[in-house]
Amino acid sequence: MPFTSDLIDEMNLLVKFTLSSDMAGIKVHSDADPLVIAASERLYEKKLVTEVDGGYLTSIGRDAVEHAKEALRILTSQPH
């Protein structure tokens, strides 16, 4: 299954979360890009974040961020 534009928007939002603290969340403001707002709402529906406008990561959300950041690191690394 290929990545859809919705999934890419969700992944881009997920990688904005920091993993250094469980108390660090994000807030998607009402004047944000509509695609970001929609991605935040979908992440909430999927139970990856605690609030419809971002909030904190849930346990499964934290796992998703770890994997998303690792995939991003692998795909953007320079070949040797």
Side-chain angles (χ1 to χ4, degrees):
M1 176 173 131
F3 285 102
T4 64
S5 57
D6 283 353
L7 288 174
I8 291 169
D9 291 340
E10 292 169 24
M11 297 284 275
N12 283 330
L13 187 55
L14 283 172
V15 297
K16 291 182 180 184
F17 281 89
T18 180
L19 295 174
S20 62
S21 170
D22 288 337
M23 299 310 295
I26 63 168
K27 168 79 170 161
V28 176
H29 294 276
S30 61
D31 61 348
D33 182 318
L35 295 174
V36 174
I37 293 171
S40 178
E41 291 169 352
R42 289 191 303 275
L43 292 175
Y44 176 74
E45 291 169 5
K46 295 175 180 181
K47 302 189 184 324
L48 299 180
V49 295
T50 60
E51 302 293 330
V52 72
D53 61 353
Y56 301 100
L57 292 168
T58 62
S59 177
I60 191 140
R62 186 171 178 80
D63 291 344
V65 170
E66 289 173 354
H67 292 293
K69 287 187 176 198
E70 182 65 9
L72 187 59
R73 184 193 64 75
I74 291 168
L75 293 170
T76 59
S77 66
Q78 298 297 319
H80 298 277

